[in-house]
Amino acid sequence: MTRLPPAILVCGAWVLGVAVAIVLAPGRPLVGAIALCLGVTTAAAAVVVRPLRIAFAVGALFLGVARAEAAGGGPDQQAVAYRLVGATVQVAGTVADDPKDLASGYELLVAPTAAALADGTRLGAFGDVLVIAKGVRRAEAGDTVQAGGKLTLPADAPGFDRRAYLAAKGAWLELRVTSVNVIGGGRGFGRIAARTRDLYRLAVDQLLPPPHAAVLEGIVLGVRTGIPPPLNQALIATGLIHLLVLSGLKVAVFARLVTAALRGLVGRVGTWAAVGLVAMYAAVGGATPAAVRAAAMGALVLAAGRLGRPTHVWTSLAVTAAVMVGWQPELAWDVGYQLSFLGTAAIILLTPPITARLAWMPAVLREPFAVTCAAQIGTAPLVAADFHVLALVGPLANALVLPLLPAVIALGLLVPPLALLPALGHALVLPLAGLLAYLEQIAAVLSRVPGAALTVPTLPATAGLAYYFGLGGLVAAWGGRGESRPRRAAVATGLIAPLLIAGGELVSWSLPHPQAAVLAIGDGQALLLRGPGGYVLVDGGPSPARLRDALGVHIPPWQRDLAALVITSDGIGEVGGLAAFDRRAAAVLVPAAGLPGTAWRRAALAAVTGGARYLPVWAGERLMVAGLRFDVLSPERTEPGDEVGWGDLAFRATGPSSRALCAFGDLSTDAQRVAASHLTGRCDYVVFDGRGALDPDLVRLLDPTALVLSSSVGTRTPTGLALASLHRTDQEGDVTLGL
């Protein structure tokens, strides 16, 4: 098989080094200094070390680690941001992205340069902030602004993981204010790009009605605002949502259009002007990872053509990837960056063989269908893990729409000059409006097809790893050019590696590693404890479907029974998911003080009917469940008052390693302090249902190594805590803790 060119090997090693260092937490000067020394030494020794490509690749790997460590910060900033939820702050900073207009105001992504609490305490770095303001927008990209208010978690949007989207941009908090004070104007290239984008959107809104205007802005510039929720859902379900992202296909169309136009005006010099316009186009589109990647590769192709040099697509892809993570190391784990490069690589590798097997399909549909299939095959695990949906009708929808995309972009670029003559412009944009209506109808119709989209609640990282090993082996065997030994090795790798990964996962499931999993089940609480003697489920969250999916991830398929079911409260966030619960439990634990409501009684009765022992418990009792020691902390035998929450169950679970988890549910602050008085040992982990108020003095007293908030409702996390780890299930998904 052909060996990898040196440039690809070195750039790949550099990106790998950056990615590994980001995972292991950047910002450690000693590690960065050691990696820098090793990288420089290895690269310098390449004159005597053979083969050269291996020496340079190892040096690039170490230098990538050094670059990521020098960047500092992401994980620490995220933890600081979570602690500030609910705090009132004053923030001053720079508008980092193009403002987006909303129904009652606008939103700005602000990179803080200074921030302080209401009492004047200055704050360190905690990432960018999404500022949502009322009134007419006055701030622009690059402006320096000031705003004050309460920090909250970003509100989720139906069908769109808005928090994950903002987290990828380095923003974990939202600030809703009445107005924003502009204290300084922006300047430079970014301001020009933002102003150009605003002028284009103004022209489109003048000539096209909604939702056509919003769809065109998304197609031409990648501006994804103003799309009605039903249409947005239809685009997601049919795999057409990528049309609203500034992709390589659009940059290629734009580059061809401007090159053809400039060649007739300024001759060969027009190539360099086209390179500049392509860069400007990516900046106007928001300079997303996909846009930057596409613009960089497009510029390389244009420049190589002008200089008479051949281009190699894999080298261009590798160099672009390496330069981007060198500029911004955190991009290595950015979903948009990963999708862009994996999708492009899959298109390059898989489109030709897929196209060759579609000779029966009309030519106008064959290429877009094959391209979409290739991209979907290459990015399926990422899409499933990050967006929880796979569009099964995506290839068909794209085959029906993509052939018209060049016409839509070309006509869309003509809208600004037509807006200068509104009377004539309204007539001339009718064909464009027809094309946009066709696209919207394709999405609406195909999204209603049964099974159009497959929902994927969760996808373990090991499943994605097994998928790519299998796909890599298949592709390598496919391109083996008749060489039997490499083809056999590729096939063996593609078959054996997924089996080994699956076997390792099964072994991990089978071994009794005591642990606690705080499940991300929405607005409520559900914990799954695993001890030497089996599984204990504590509460069930609000949704039976979400509970079923979460348990399917953590419990082996052959394990149906639980050692115990624990019901701590009568709230819908605790017992709603236990409706029609189909797993048997050996025991059911409930607070002996009694709970109001009937939902918890139905859940307990169903467990007892299935053979469970009914165990009402009081504070101070101790029992062994599934090999774990349970110390009951609440309820009191004599209730201190009539406040809601005094009768709920709180406990401390201790595993064989003596690590202990304390769960306080949503007890009131007074009830939390009373429950803590029953503790006879430390709490390594504290789990709290984030819908209530958390007593900061109690948390400081317990001094846990991890605090987990198990709710999707933003609760103020006490500041100033020396926590080794802070987790929120609404941000991170399931949180697993060793017992």
Side-chain angles (χ1 to χ4, degrees), residues 201 269 384 395 430 474:
R201 296 180 65 184
V269 179
L430 286 178
L474 176 63

Short mmCIF file of all heavy atoms in Angstrom, two decimals, residues 201 269 384 395 430 474:
data_model
loop_
_atom_site.label_atom_id
_atom_site.label_comp_id
_atom_site.label_asym_id
_atom_site.label_seq_id
_atom_site.Cartn_x
_atom_site.Cartn_y
_atom_site.Cartn_z
N ARG A 201 -28.06 41.06 4.73
CA ARG A 201 -29.31 40.63 5.36
C ARG A 201 -30.39 41.68 5.18
O ARG A 201 -31.57 41.36 4.99
CB ARG A 201 -29.07 40.34 6.84
CG ARG A 201 -28.11 39.19 7.08
CD ARG A 201 -27.90 38.94 8.56
NE ARG A 201 -29.13 38.49 9.20
CZ ARG A 201 -29.24 38.29 10.50
NH1 ARG A 201 -28.21 38.50 11.29
NH2 ARG A 201 -30.37 37.87 11.00
N VAL A 269 -4.52 38.28 -12.90
CA VAL A 269 -4.37 38.90 -11.58
C VAL A 269 -5.61 38.65 -10.73
O VAL A 269 -5.58 38.70 -9.50
CB VAL A 269 -4.12 40.41 -11.73
CG1 VAL A 269 -3.98 41.09 -10.36
CG2 VAL A 269 -2.87 40.65 -12.56
N ALA A 384 -24.70 11.33 15.62
CA ALA A 384 -25.55 10.63 16.59
C ALA A 384 -25.21 11.03 18.01
O ALA A 384 -26.10 11.22 18.84
CB ALA A 384 -25.39 9.12 16.41
N PRO A 395 -29.84 11.22 2.12
CA PRO A 395 -29.33 11.11 0.75
C PRO A 395 -30.38 11.46 -0.31
O PRO A 395 -30.07 12.15 -1.28
CB PRO A 395 -28.92 9.63 0.66
CG PRO A 395 -28.58 9.26 2.07
CD PRO A 395 -29.56 10.01 2.91
N LEU A 430 -38.34 36.46 -8.10
CA LEU A 430 -39.39 35.43 -8.06
C LEU A 430 -38.85 34.03 -8.34
O LEU A 430 -39.23 33.07 -7.67
CB LEU A 430 -40.50 35.79 -9.05
CG LEU A 430 -41.42 36.95 -8.62
CD1 LEU A 430 -42.45 37.25 -9.71
CD2 LEU A 430 -42.13 36.61 -7.30
N LEU A 474 -12.46 -1.40 6.24
CA LEU A 474 -13.18 -1.61 4.98
C LEU A 474 -12.62 -0.73 3.87
O LEU A 474 -12.40 -1.18 2.75
CB LEU A 474 -14.67 -1.32 5.20
CG LEU A 474 -15.56 -1.41 3.96
CD1 LEU A 474 -15.56 -2.83 3.40
CD2 LEU A 474 -16.99 -0.98 4.29
#
